[in-house]
Amino acid sequence: QVQLVESGGGLVQAGGSLRLSCAASGSSFSTYAMVWYRQAPGKQRELVALISNGGDTYYTDAVKGRFTISRDNARKTLYLQMNSLKPEDTAVYYCAASVVAFSNPDYWGQGTQVTVSA
């Protein structure tokens, strides 16, 4: 059983930055692929970034060059550094954990709201 808790969301102007954090419980954090998803009103949930248990990363094209995913296995924490934010980044951001990379996540956080004003 794993619990994930996101933090760091908020309201920011276009061009600004935020860092999201996801604190995990459980004993197997270092073995999971960790993922950030987001969902904007009226849109499907979208995979934003992924980091494997070996540190390999993946980003959706919309955020490449602006967002950085990282993990601290000792602290069992996942991060998403978001720079040069755009209004279209506005969404609820969810942390998720997958036992197998690129499979459906096995555990989800409750989400944190990110709002980017023009």
Side-chain angles (χ1 to χ4, degrees):
Q1 187 65 257
V2 173
Q3 292 183 335
L4 304 172
V5 180
E6 302 95 336
S7 63
L11 175 65
V12 65
Q13 292 184 342
S17 297
L18 286 172
R19 190 179 80 159
L20 305 184
S21 298
C22 172
S25 67
S27 61
S28 300
F29 176 83
S30 64
T31 73
Y32 298 149
M34 298 300 298
V35 193
W36 287 102
Y37 285 84
R38 66 186 181 186
Q39 187 166 25
K43 295 186 178 180
Q44 290 279 16
R45 186 174 57 225
E46 173 189 28
L47 190 152
V48 177
L50 179 148
I51 184 165
S52 74
N53 59 1
D56 297 319
T57 59
Y58 166 86
Y59 301 91
T60 189
D61 287 344
V63 308
K64 285 181 180 177
R66 300 188 297 120
F67 291 11
T68 302
I69 188 170
S70 61
R71 66 194 297 163
D72 185 334
N73 288 337
R75 297 182 178 183
K76 296 194 290 186
T77 303
L78 175 74
Y79 303 98
L80 185 67
Q81 178 66 46
M82 305 186 295
N83 298 326
S84 302
L85 283 161
K86 304 175 180 179
E88 50 263 46
D89 295 318
T90 294
V92 177
Y93 283 71
Y94 297 92
C95 171
S98 297
V99 174
V100 178
F102 299 104
S103 67
N104 290 333
D106 300 286
Y107 306 100
W108 290 86
Q110 293 299 305
T112 185
Q113 176 71 49
V114 172
T115 302
V116 184
S117 62

